[in-house]
Amino acid sequence: MIDLKEQAGVAMNVRGQFSDPIVDPKVTLGALAFANDLGRALVRMKAGQDTRPEIVRRATLLLAQMIRRSGKFNRGKFTGMDRATKRDQRAGREVERSNVDIVERFALRLIVEWIDDQCPRCDGRGVIGRAQAPQPVAVVCSSCNGTRRVCVSEERIPFAAGRNGPRVYREFSRCEACLGRGTQLVTPPKSEGRQICRSCGGDGRRAIDEAARAQALGVPLRMYREHWVESFQSMLAVLDQVDGRVVDTMRRKLRP
């Protein structure tokens, strides 16, 4: 039995891969219509797999409006400009305006992370099973020890002996085992049984990419770490609450 959001995804018939039977699609979508605008957009994107630009844009603007109304993110404070840039702006100099509305950038990044939150390695399961083939890894070539060449001949020259004995003449050629690369791709043996996914630690969620967050906001990584880490955590939790209220609303409207 699939949950209410997946039922809505089936009813929308937007690139869905669900096959379980559901109740009347019109009844399901009718119940979804009683949810708020942002909640409906989130369900449409995540469950219905409808990520058209206009849908994403509308959800971004709705979330940005919610963020501004919260009182924590006012337009004047979060402009994406540092103190030096603001000082130049007050002095009448031209400033870069690409980061003016950082609230919308923040909202868009939140929506992207909330929708695409599954670990790509284990597909959100948290474990890796027997069927998954191990990935090849590069190891130092055992024939040349990473030097990329091997000795093919060695001659001692007695008449050219020095203080340390006869001089040794060696001839080298490219290592054929690694084709001169110094490394070889080795496929580790397939593991037995299921194992916890190393990428997500077993929770099935995509790892946080701090550099991508800072780039999306248009701020230096240092500034993101100082001012934005807690904001991302709290607002992602808010999106979970909005999603939960959608399910509660649909359950009430579908109750006989």
Side-chain angles (χ1 to χ4, degrees):
M1 181 64 181
I2 60 178
D3 61 27
L4 294 179
K5 290 186 298 181
E6 291 178 345
Q7 289 183 25
V10 175
M12 293 171 195
N13 194 24
V14 182
R15 298 192 304 275
Q17 297 179 357
F18 309 111
S19 57
D20 294 346
I22 64 171
V23 297
D24 188 351
K26 294 183 179 179
V27 175
T28 301
L29 295 181
L32 179 62
F34 285 92
N36 62 21
D37 292 341
L38 179 58
R40 291 199 305 270
L42 293 177
V43 172
R44 182 174 290 277
M45 289 186 294
K46 193 164 188 175
Q49 303 179 23
D50 187 358
T51 55
R52 289 175 295 172
E54 57 269 25
I55 300 296
V56 177
R57 178 61 177 168
R58 176 171 174 76
T60 300
L61 294 177
L62 289 170
L63 181 57
Q65 185 180 36
M66 177 188 294
I67 292 172
R68 294 190 185 99
R69 288 178 176 176
S70 68
K72 299 179 180 179
F73 301 90
N74 60 75
R75 185 185 296 271
K77 183 177 180 181
F78 292 93
T79 59
M81 296 184 291
D82 55 19
R83 293 180 180 178
T85 306
K86 290 181 179 179
R87 187 166 53 249
D88 292 341
Q89 185 184 40
R90 289 193 297 268
R93 304 187 184 95
E94 290 189 11
V95 297
E96 177 62 42
R97 304 295 294 177
S98 61
N99 298 328
V100 169
D101 201 347
I102 199 172
V103 176
E104 290 186 11
R105 291 174 177 265
F106 178 45
L108 177 59
R109 183 64 191 182
L110 285 169
I111 290 174
V112 169
E113 289 193 12
W114 188 84
I115 294 175
D116 188 18
D117 63 341
Q118 291 186 349
C119 172
R121 180 168 176 78
C122 64
D123 295 328
R125 294 190 300 268
V127 294
I128 300 176
R130 295 187 182 94
Q132 185 165 356
Q135 299 296 321
V137 294
V139 298
V140 177
C141 177
S142 58
S143 298
C144 64
N145 291 324
T147 61
R148 304 182 180 183
R149 57 179 189 166
V150 292
C151 180
V152 294
S153 66
E154 179 177 303
E155 296 290 342
R156 295 179 179 272
I157 308 176
F159 57 82
R163 181 178 300 176
N164 298 324
R167 180 175 298 178
V168 180
Y169 173 78
R170 297 184 178 90
E171 183 178 355
F172 293 88
S173 66
R174 186 186 70 168
C175 177
E176 295 299 328
C178 64
L179 300 178
R181 291 190 295 264
T183 59
Q184 292 176 305
L185 291 177
V186 178
T187 302
K190 185 179 295 187
S191 60
E192 295 294 335
R194 291 189 175 185
Q195 295 182 345
I196 294 177
C197 177
R198 296 182 180 180
S199 298
C200 64
D203 62 1
R205 302 182 71 89
R206 183 183 291 271
I208 295 174
D209 191 341
E210 292 188 333
R213 283 182 171 182
Q215 184 179 13
L217 293 173
V219 300
L221 183 59
R222 173 189 56 79
M223 184 181 298
Y224 158 78
R225 289 174 174 169
E226 290 178 358
H227 304 290
W228 290 94
V229 175
E230 293 183 0
S231 300
F232 269 93
Q233 294 175 351
S234 61
M235 289 308 302
L236 286 172
V238 168
L239 288 179
D240 288 336
Q241 294 174 3
V242 172
D243 182 60
R245 287 196 291 268
V246 171
V247 176
D248 293 339
T249 300
M250 294 182 64
R251 186 176 293 112
R252 288 195 303 268
K253 297 302 179 181
L254 291 173
R255 187 176 300 165

